[in-house]
């Protein structure tokens, strides 16, 4: 019991990091010259001294094995966009045919930060998604094959589902909320269905939820499940409640899909597969730990989950 509580407490600092952390960039290439414009949400750089220069130093472009020289660069805070907007020009040794890019934005912001880069060259476009798992990419300015697209977008779903402490925290709470193996399967199925429904319905609604709202809502889902475990141990229809909670978590994937332009089908396939594996692993682990520690384990861990969920909620609400 003490070990599990320590594990959950260790999730507090990572959960305080942004669950939804996305920036965008556009690079327009003309021969051996390029113009790059990046937009980083202001709340991502509040802790960075001289954020503008630091961001421009955190991304590098090269072609044919030679790094481009940054000829100019400036950043400004755009209140209307609530973003730090940086513009820079680059000079390459030769005319660009394929562009290599390397980003360390995830070291300046939060580990799960995603930078979506779109490039234009001679009327052709390409896109790269850069994060901790894939800090380097190449834009080849040709349409990807179906196999390349499926692999890239499915892997992105896997990374988004398994790459953050916030996701792990909720999945652990979901496993603990199940009172039997049959209920565990129903809860897992409804949660995944809720995520998928959010990804399909959000684009039709025209609503664009703010990242802070998505994170605050996800934090409350953890706290609510903890309350169910502590105060409503015999509550019915828990599967329906979890389905609704899945809708809030689906907003995270829906936001990612909107920002990247990826296919909802491929991203969801990767995310659901990853979460199913994590749920199965956590279910087996917590089941064995629970049998060894006794009935008091769930209540003790639920108290920790409640504290983490409420703390995470108030951090996002005020920040």
């Amino acid at each position: 019991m003490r070990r599990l509580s320590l594990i959950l407490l260790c999730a507090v600092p990572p959960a305080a990091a942004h669950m939804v952390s996305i920036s965008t960039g556009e690079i327009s290439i003309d021969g051996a010259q390029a113009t790059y414009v990046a937009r980083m949400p202001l709340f991502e750089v509040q802790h960075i001294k001289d954020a503008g220069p630091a961001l421009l130093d955190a991304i590098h472009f090269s072609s044919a094995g030679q790094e481009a020289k940054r000829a100019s660069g400036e950043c400004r805070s755009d209140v209307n966009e609530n973003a730090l907007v940086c513009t820079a020009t680059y000079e390459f040794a030769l005319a660009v045919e394929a562009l290599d890019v390397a980003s360390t934005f995830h070291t300046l912001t939060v580990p799960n930060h995603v930078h979506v880069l779109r490039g234009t060259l001679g009327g052709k476009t390409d896109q790269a998604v850069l994060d901790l798992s894939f800090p380097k990419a190449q834009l080849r300015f040709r349409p990807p094959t179906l196999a390349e697209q499926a692999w890239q977008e499915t892997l992105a779903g896997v990374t988004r589902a398994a790459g953050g402490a916030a996701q792990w925290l909720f999945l652990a709470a979901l496993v603990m909320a199940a009172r039997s193996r049959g209920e565990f399967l129903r809860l897992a199925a409804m949660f995944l269905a809720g995520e998928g429904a959010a990804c399909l319905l959000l684009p039709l609604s025209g609503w664009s939820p703010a990242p802070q709202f998505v994170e605050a809502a996800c934090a409350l889902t953890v706290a609510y499940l903890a309350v169910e475990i502590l105060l409503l141990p015999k509550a019915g229809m828990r599967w329906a409640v979890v389905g609704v909670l899945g809708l809030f978590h689906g907003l995270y994937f829906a936001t990612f899909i909107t920002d990247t332009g990826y296919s909802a089908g491929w991203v969801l396939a990767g995310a659901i597969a990853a979460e199913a594996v994590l749920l199965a692993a956590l279910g087996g682990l917590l089941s064995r730990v629970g049998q060894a520690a006794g009935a008091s384990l769930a209540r003790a861990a639920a108290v920790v989950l409640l504290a983490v969920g409420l703390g995470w909620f108030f951090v996002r609400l005020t920040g």
Side-chain angles (χ1 to χ4, degrees):
M1 179 173 63
R2 183 178 299 174
R3 289 184 179 180
L4 181 59
S5 298
L6 287 174
I7 291 172
L8 293 174
L9 283 172
C10 288
V12 175
H18 303 305
M19 177 182 179
V20 183
S21 181
I22 299 177
S23 62
T24 61
E26 297 87 31
I27 185 165
S28 178
I29 303 171
D30 182 9
Q33 298 185 342
T35 300
Y36 171 65
V37 180
R39 289 176 171 82
M40 177 74 70
L42 288 175
F43 69 87
E44 297 282 7
V45 296
Q46 292 175 345
H47 65 288
I48 304 175
K49 183 179 180 181
D50 297 326
L55 289 177
L56 290 178
D57 288 341
I59 191 163
H60 300 270
F61 300 101
S62 59
S63 180
Q66 299 185 59
E67 184 170 346
K69 177 183 177 182
R70 190 170 76 222
S72 66
E74 62 177 3
C75 297
R76 60 182 177 83
S77 295
D78 190 313
V79 178
N80 293 328
E81 294 188 42
N82 195 29
L84 181 68
V85 180
C86 296
T87 303
T89 59
Y90 293 85
E91 297 177 350
F92 294 84
L94 301 170
V96 176
E97 295 184 359
L99 179 70
D100 295 299
V101 56
S103 166
T104 55
F105 284 162
H106 56 275
T107 65
L108 292 176
T109 54
V110 291
N112 62 320
H113 183 78
V114 176
H115 184 61
V116 182
L117 176 67
R118 298 181 177 90
T120 304
L121 171 64
K124 300 178 181 179
T125 61
D126 203 351
Q127 177 176 289
V129 176
L130 304 158
D131 58 14
L132 175 63
S133 301
F134 299 96
K136 298 180 180 180
Q138 184 179 72
L139 280 68
R140 289 169 285 184
F141 301 100
R142 63 166 179 79
T145 65
L146 181 59
E148 289 174 337
Q149 179 182 355
W151 171 251
Q152 182 182 36
E153 297 182 7
T154 302
L155 191 59
V158 171
T159 305
R160 302 285 79 73
Q167 291 90 330
W168 284 70
L169 191 64
F170 179 82
L171 294 179
L174 188 149
V175 171
M176 291 173 54
R179 292 159 292 197
S180 66
R181 179 171 298 180
E183 186 176 43
F184 167 69
L185 294 176
R186 290 193 294 273
L187 296 185
M190 288 302 298
F191 171 67
L192 298 177
E195 284 188 323
C199 292
L200 297 177
L201 294 176
L202 185 64
L204 301 177
S205 69
W207 178 43
S208 180
Q212 292 93 329
F213 170 82
V214 176
E215 291 196 43
C218 290
L220 282 183
T221 64
V222 175
Y224 182 83
L225 280 183
V227 169
E228 284 248 343
I229 296 169
L230 289 169
L231 304 180
L232 303 169
K234 298 182 180 180
M237 302 287 287
R238 188 169 286 179
W239 58 269
V241 172
V242 168
V244 174
L245 301 183
L247 288 171
F248 290 109
H249 282 261
L251 294 178
Y252 166 58
F253 294 103
T255 300
F256 175 75
I257 290 168
T258 299
D259 288 341
T260 59
Y262 279 176
S263 166
W266 291 123
V267 173
L268 282 175
I272 289 174
E275 287 175 334
V277 171
L278 289 175
L279 282 169
L282 287 170
L285 174 63
L286 294 183
S287 175
R288 287 193 292 271
V289 173
Q291 291 174 358
S296 61
L297 170 67
R299 294 186 62 83
V303 171
V304 177
L305 283 173
L306 179 61
V308 172
L310 290 178
W312 179 21
F313 169 74
F314 285 113
V315 166
R316 285 297 158 258
L317 191 66
T318 58

